[in-house]
């Protein structure tokens, strides 16, 4: 049924679509993430792309150059089109028409870039041998005319900027292109009052691609108010898993003294601040200890600030101070589970999943086999969020934090253990209740790109952490015998899965991982139990105070920061990684933050990290540039980022010897265990 022209009416046409304010707002609102073709039949839940629209009044739906078949859920229709072509799903008409890109299931090639602006035209450059091409161009969610891009005599393409629909303030120009065999990388150009942004100083904390995240564990960051210190101080809780006194006031103090400004951070991800139990839970057997809820992931009350973290006034002060410094604050929120003594669960004992599987096994820590029902521990039952009444209550509870406080979004915990209906309901409520708030959401999911990406849609999450890039990067940079070709391949796979200008999080580590520098230095071996290592010996950078190996470990830690700060995505520094905090896995990776007394190696790494963050913040190519791999071998990776003709070339060398290369006419010298960035 290919190549059938189609125009299918799912419901009655909206009368006077141009007069529909919500359709017009969506048309010129947040760019809708593309639909990806998945095969002969692709299901499309319109709520995943249009969360704020009333689907009973959507009106006309048209598909051009789309799929072999496209099942549109909620409206129960089947559309047929031409597979392997760039498509557009269009809804509405006139100035209220909303257009969503449909990307064909083709190999992705990084072969399209912006060459500059001349005579009010954006020049696009394409690799040889890829013509003829089909282009689809959008400003926000308005589709430009088919002749918006015209080929020039020199083989480049021009996009007439005078034809762009104008929007006051920030908007985005997006360009997609393909031929019969490959899909090219997409382009993303931020616009200010309809004009391309050429200076990074015009960007603000609300530009998602310009974020640099800093992840901090509130209790282990800084103690700003000793009056709220309340460690359990009981024999059956090891001091390493008791409260240390960090609080909201401590974060505010570090914002005020310029710590984050100096480090180049413009988004803080703070760990959960909801009330946790005041007694000990869980059990570790060697050594024998229970745990306090210092980490925040055992909520007793989902709408109360833990009194060991601070007060209502202190939270509001933190947010106001951060915004004065141009810093976003996103809240880590736990939706998957609550503590077993929560009044909510006592009132609704049927709101949890079964802890016993049908075959009689205990349903604990079955992360993949029973990912939507498994319990994380005996004292934190998983909520049955597939039930509508539970989902309604928990989404309302989560939204309390942006209703009452001026947060800028969320880091969502354990996303893959929460059903998709929760994310659809949550995002629908958020976008309809707070349509004018700039709110960004990033999630935590371990799995392959398909699973991770299934949550990344306009009607669910903006992004997730790219653990596949992280795991590949630490293996390659930290181990001997691993090839840089693996990093290059994983980056390409990530760009193909999430887009060339995604905002997936590129992490230096997190509170669930052994510190990379201790792996790179050999203090923790790659194949041992990192948790046990931290309990039973003092973990440093190296195992035997080898100064040469320690220096190399710091250089390897810097290479990870270089990679995160220069590839597409949003870099995220876990507290202490900026100076090379050592440690094994949980709880050893959660030592109290240090702001003074750093060693010479730590001061060196901190200075280098600051250089990289400020370089990224000031460089349009590193924020919005098109990625192109230029060279890779076992020890070296060289790539470029290009924006409007400005190019930055990044070269990393994991090898023990310096390298000199001629890469497409560029002479590049890279030190051993080092990097070179050419502007």
């Amino acid at each position: 049924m290919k190549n059938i022209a189609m125009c299918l009416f799912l419901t009655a046409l909206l009368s006077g679509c141009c007069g529909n304010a919500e359709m017009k707002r969506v048309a010129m609102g947040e760019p809708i993430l593309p639909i990806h073709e998945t095969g002969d039949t692709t299901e499309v839940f319109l709520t995943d792309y249009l969360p704020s629209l009333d689907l009973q009044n959507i009106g006309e739906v048209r598909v051009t150059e789309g799929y072999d078949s496209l099942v549109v859920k909620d409206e129960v229709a089947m559309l047929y089109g031409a597979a392997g072509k760039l498509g557009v799903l269009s809804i509405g008409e006139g100035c209220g028409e909303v257009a969503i890109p449909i990307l064909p299931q083709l190999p992705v090639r990084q072969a399209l870039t912006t060459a500059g602006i001349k005579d009010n035209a954006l020049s696009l450059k394409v690799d040889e041998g890829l013509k003829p091409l089909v282009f689809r161009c959008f400003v926000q969610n308005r589709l430009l005319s088919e002749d918006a891009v015209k080929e020039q005599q020199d083989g480049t393409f021009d996009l007439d900027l005078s034809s762009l629909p104008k929007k006051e303030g920030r908007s985005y120009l997006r360009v997609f292109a393909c031929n019969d065999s490959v899909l090219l990388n997409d382009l993303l150009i931020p616009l200010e009052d309809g004009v391309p942004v050429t200076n990074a100083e015009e960007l603000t904390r609300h530009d998602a691609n310009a974020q640099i995240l800093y992840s901090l564990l509130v209790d282990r960051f800084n103690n700003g108010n000793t009056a709220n210190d309340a460690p359990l101080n009981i024999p059956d809780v090891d001091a390493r898993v008791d409260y240390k006194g960090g609080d909201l006031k401590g974060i505010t103090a570090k914002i005020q003294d310029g710590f984050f400004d100096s480090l180049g951070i413009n988004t803080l991800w703070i760990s959960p601040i909801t009330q946790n139990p005041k007694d000990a839970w869980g059990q570790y057997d060697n050594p024998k200890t229970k745990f306090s809820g210092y980490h925040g992931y055992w909520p007793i009350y989902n709408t109360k600030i833990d009194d060991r973290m601070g007060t209502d006034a202190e939270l509001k002060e933190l947010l106001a101070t951060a915004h004065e410094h141009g810093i976003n604050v996103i809240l880590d929120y736990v939706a998957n589970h609550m503590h077993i003594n929560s009044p909510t669960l006592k009132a609704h004992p049927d709101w949890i999943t079964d802890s016993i599987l049908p075959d009689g096994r205990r349903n604990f820590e079955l992360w993949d086999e029973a990912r939507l029902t498994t319990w994380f521990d005996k004292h934190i039952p998983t909520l049955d969020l597939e039930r509508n009444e539970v989902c309604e209550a928990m989404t309302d509870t989560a939204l309390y934090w942006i209703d009452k406080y001026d947060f800028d979004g969320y880091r969502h915990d354990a996303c893959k253990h929460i059903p998709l209906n929760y994310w659809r309901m949550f995002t629908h409520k958020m976008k309809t209740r707070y349509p004018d708030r700039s709110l960004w959401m990033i999630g935590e999911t371990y799995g392959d790109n398909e699973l991770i990406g299934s949550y990344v849609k306009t009607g669910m999450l903006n992004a997730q952490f790219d653990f596949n890039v992280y795991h590949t990067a630490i293996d390659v940079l930290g181990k001997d015998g691993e090839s840089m070709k693996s990093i290059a391949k994983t980056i390409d796979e990530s760009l193909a899965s999430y887009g060339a200008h995604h905002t997936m999080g590129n992490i230096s580590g997190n509170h669930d991982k052994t510190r990379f520098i201790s792996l790179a230095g050999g203090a923790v071996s790659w194949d041992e139990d990192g948790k046990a290592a931290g309990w039973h010996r003092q973990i440093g950078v190296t195992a035997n105070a080898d100064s040469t190996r320690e220096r190399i470990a710091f250089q390897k830690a810097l290479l990870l920061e270089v990679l995160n700060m220069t590839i597409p995505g949003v870099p995220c520094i876990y507290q202490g990684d900026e100076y090379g905090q050592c440690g094994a896995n949980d709880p050893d990776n959660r030592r109290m933050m240090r702001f003074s007394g750093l060693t010479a190696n730590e001061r060196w790494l901190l200075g280098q990290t600051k250089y990289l963050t400020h370089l990224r913040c000031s460089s349009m190519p590193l924020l919005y540039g098109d990625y192109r791999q230029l060279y890779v071998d076992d020890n070296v990776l060289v790539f470029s980022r290009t924006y409007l003709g400005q190019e930055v070339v990044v070269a990393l060398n994991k090898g023990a010897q310096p390298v000199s290369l001629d890469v497409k006419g560029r002479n590049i010298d890279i030190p051993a265990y080092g990097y070179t960035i050419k502007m």
Side-chain angles (χ1 to χ4, degrees):
M1 293 189 177
K2 297 181 180 179
N3 301 316
I4 297 178
M6 72 196 101
C7 183
L8 180 64
F9 291 81
L10 302 181
T11 60
L13 276 174
L14 291 172
S15 59
C17 183
C18 279
N20 187 291
E22 181 62 8
M23 288 292 287
K24 288 194 289 185
R25 191 189 69 78
V26 173
M28 290 303 286
E30 174 189 357
I32 298 171
L33 294 177
I35 296 167
H36 289 264
E37 182 181 14
T38 59
D40 288 342
T41 301
T42 298
E43 284 191 346
V44 176
F45 286 77
L46 292 179
T47 49
D48 291 349
Y49 301 92
L50 302 162
S52 66
L53 288 182
D54 180 355
L55 296 180
Q56 298 304 310
N57 294 302
I58 260 187
E60 184 183 3
V61 175
R62 303 180 304 283
V63 174
T64 59
E65 297 289 351
Y67 294 80
D68 283 328
S69 55
L70 173 69
V71 178
V72 182
K73 289 292 184 180
D74 299 314
E75 302 297 338
V76 192
M78 180 80 81
L79 308 177
Y80 301 95
K85 298 289 186 183
L86 273 174
V88 179
L89 180 66
S90 298
I91 299 171
E93 61 181 0
C95 59
E97 183 176 42
V98 176
I100 305 171
I102 304 175
L103 305 185
Q105 193 177 39
L106 293 172
V108 178
R109 182 168 167 181
Q110 310 299 318
L112 177 64
T113 192
T114 54
I117 298 175
K118 185 178 180 181
D119 299 327
N120 207 30
L122 176 64
S123 178
L124 311 179
K125 188 176 180 180
V126 181
D127 285 359
E128 294 291 333
L130 295 177
K131 302 171 187 176
L133 290 169
V134 174
F135 287 89
R136 291 285 184 267
C137 306
F138 303 78
V139 170
Q140 302 300 83
N141 304 306
R142 292 277 299 278
L143 178 65
L144 305 186
S145 65
E146 291 189 5
D147 61 354
V149 176
K150 296 180 179 178
E151 186 170 5
Q152 305 301 301
Q153 290 184 348
D154 63 359
T156 62
F157 293 85
D158 276 2
L159 195 163
D160 182 9
L161 294 174
S162 65
S163 66
L164 304 186
K166 299 296 188 290
K167 178 184 178 181
E168 184 177 349
R170 179 70 73 247
S171 60
Y172 293 92
L173 168 64
R174 295 183 291 165
V175 179
F176 301 87
C178 80
N179 62 22
D180 288 337
S181 58
V182 296
L183 174 66
L184 277 60
N185 58 286
D186 59 285
L187 305 179
L188 180 68
I189 309 294
L191 309 173
E192 181 66 20
D193 297 334
V195 178
V197 174
T198 58
N199 188 339
E201 291 183 359
E202 297 180 51
L203 302 174
T204 74
R205 65 185 176 89
H206 299 300
D207 290 288
N209 292 74
Q211 295 180 103
I212 297 179
L213 269 67
Y214 191 87
S215 165
L216 61 87
L217 203 61
V218 178
D219 177 67
R220 302 301 170 89
F221 185 67
N222 188 40
N223 191 342
N225 180 9
T226 57
N228 62 24
D229 292 0
L232 299 184
N233 280 336
I234 54 178
D236 54 350
V237 174
D238 189 289
R240 288 170 286 186
V241 289
D242 205 348
Y243 285 86
K244 300 296 184 185
D247 49 31
L248 299 175
K249 195 74 174 176
I251 301 171
T252 304
K254 300 312 294 182
I255 299 172
Q256 291 170 332
D257 74 12
F259 172 79
F260 297 109
D261 294 336
S262 173
L263 189 52
I265 300 300
N266 58 14
T267 299
L268 299 182
W269 151 24
I270 66 172
S271 58
I273 59 173
T274 50
Q275 184 69 54
N276 270 232
K278 296 195 174 184
D279 51 357
W281 291 83
Q283 182 67 51
Y284 193 78
D285 291 327
N286 187 17
K288 286 191 176 296
T289 184
K290 293 184 178 181
F291 300 81
S292 73
Y294 71 93
H295 43 68
Y297 289 96
W298 301 342
I300 289 276
Y301 298 101
N302 275 324
T303 56
K304 181 182 184 300
I305 301 172
D306 194 309
D307 48 28
R308 292 158 294 199
M309 301 294 177
T311 65
D312 177 85
E314 287 171 340
L315 177 55
K316 290 178 178 177
E317 179 191 25
L318 187 161
L319 295 169
T321 305
H323 294 162
E324 289 170 4
H325 284 250
I327 298 173
N328 300 310
V329 183
I330 62 174
L331 177 66
D332 197 328
Y333 188 78
V334 182
N336 177 76
H337 53 258
M338 294 187 71
H339 191 274
I340 200 165
N341 281 346
S342 162
T344 298
L345 296 189
K346 289 185 178 297
H348 302 282
D350 60 325
W351 277 19
I352 62 176
T353 61
D354 199 334
S355 64
I356 305 295
L357 294 175
D359 62 8
R361 286 181 298 148
R362 301 301 299 269
N363 189 11
F364 293 158
E365 298 185 3
L366 300 177
W367 309 125
D368 296 308
E369 181 183 351
R371 68 181 177 90
L372 296 179
T373 62
T374 195
W375 290 24
F376 282 34
D377 209 332
K378 297 175 183 178
H379 60 284
I380 43 174
T382 288
L383 292 160
D384 189 358
L385 291 166
E386 292 185 280
R387 291 177 54 183
N388 191 67
E389 65 270 32
V390 182
C391 198
E392 286 280 5
M394 293 305 297
T395 50
D396 284 340
T397 299
L399 289 170
Y400 163 88
W401 293 96
I402 58 171
D403 184 61
K404 185 171 182 179
Y405 302 101
D406 197 15
F407 279 107
D408 301 287
Y410 298 88
R411 179 268 188 184
H412 288 292
D413 185 57
C415 290
K416 83 172 189 178
H417 303 294
I418 299 170
L420 294 179
N421 64 287
Y422 173 92
W423 302 113
R424 291 181 174 119
M425 182 184 291
F426 180 87
T427 305
H428 170 73
K429 288 180 177 181
M430 187 179 75
K431 289 182 180 292
T432 52
R433 294 180 188 180
Y434 316 104
D436 299 320
R437 293 272 295 274
S438 178
L439 299 166
W440 184 76
M441 300 195 294
I442 189 167
E444 176 208 34
T445 291
Y446 292 90
D448 59 23
N449 287 0
E450 183 178 359
L451 175 63
I452 293 171
S454 67
Y455 294 84
V456 181
K457 295 180 173 66
T458 302
M460 286 192 270
L461 301 174
N462 300 95
Q464 296 222 65
F465 293 103
D466 199 334
F467 290 112
N468 295 315
V469 167
Y470 167 75
H471 288 133
T472 303
I474 64 169
D475 282 352
V476 171
L477 298 176
K479 298 177 182 177
D480 295 330
E482 298 289 330
S483 174
M484 292 290 267
K485 294 177 183 177
S486 296
I487 292 181
K489 179 175 181 290
T490 304
I491 292 172
D492 283 344
E493 291 170 347
S494 178
L495 297 175
S497 297
Y498 314 123
H501 297 278
H502 62 71
T503 57
M504 303 290 284
N506 297 317
I507 65 171
S508 67
N510 68 21
H511 57 272
D512 294 322
K513 300 289 184 183
T514 297
R515 294 279 187 171
F516 171 61
I517 199 164
S518 292
L519 289 167
V524 180
S525 67
W526 292 89
D527 57 357
E528 74 173 309
D529 182 337
K531 291 188 177 184
W535 281 114
H536 294 293
R537 63 180 191 267
Q538 184 65 37
I539 301 296
V541 174
T542 65
N544 54 3
D546 183 331
S547 60
T548 299
R549 187 166 186 178
E550 179 171 313
R551 179 63 179 176
I552 292 171
F554 274 90
Q555 291 173 300
K556 290 180 176 181
L558 177 59
L559 286 178
L560 180 61
E561 297 291 3
V562 173
L563 186 74
N564 288 344
M565 293 292 167
T566 56
I567 62 174
V570 173
C572 179
I573 299 172
Y574 174 48
Q575 68 174 59
D577 281 346
E578 69 271 25
Y579 61 77
Q581 174 64 56
C582 54
N585 207 327
D586 168 20
D588 196 41
N589 57 4
R590 304 174 183 185
R591 301 180 194 179
M592 201 70 185
M593 179 73 178
R594 292 186 288 128
F595 298 99
S596 61
L598 302 183
T599 68
N601 282 335
E602 289 172 334
R603 292 194 301 273
W604 173 82
L605 181 56
L606 177 60
Q608 288 284 310
T609 303
K610 288 180 178 181
Y611 165 75
L612 290 168
T613 57
H614 288 283
L615 178 66
R616 180 181 176 88
C617 287
S618 63
S619 171
M620 290 301 293
L622 291 180
L623 297 173
Y624 287 97
D626 312 308
Y627 173 91
R628 184 74 60 89
Q629 179 187 307
L630 302 179
Y631 176 85
V632 64
D633 63 25
D634 286 340
N635 285 332
V636 174
L637 171 63
V638 184
F639 58 87
S640 65
R641 302 287 305 276
T642 306
Y643 179 81
L644 300 182
Q646 303 174 47
E647 184 180 63
V648 173
V649 176
V650 181
L652 298 90
N653 175 20
K654 64 161 284 188
Q657 300 300 322
V659 173
S660 292
L661 294 173
D662 186 301
V663 179
K664 296 185 178 180
R666 305 172 179 88
N667 181 258
I668 301 175
D669 296 318
I670 325 168
Y673 304 115
Y675 73 96
T676 297
I677 297 178
K678 288 195 169 187
M679 310 296 285

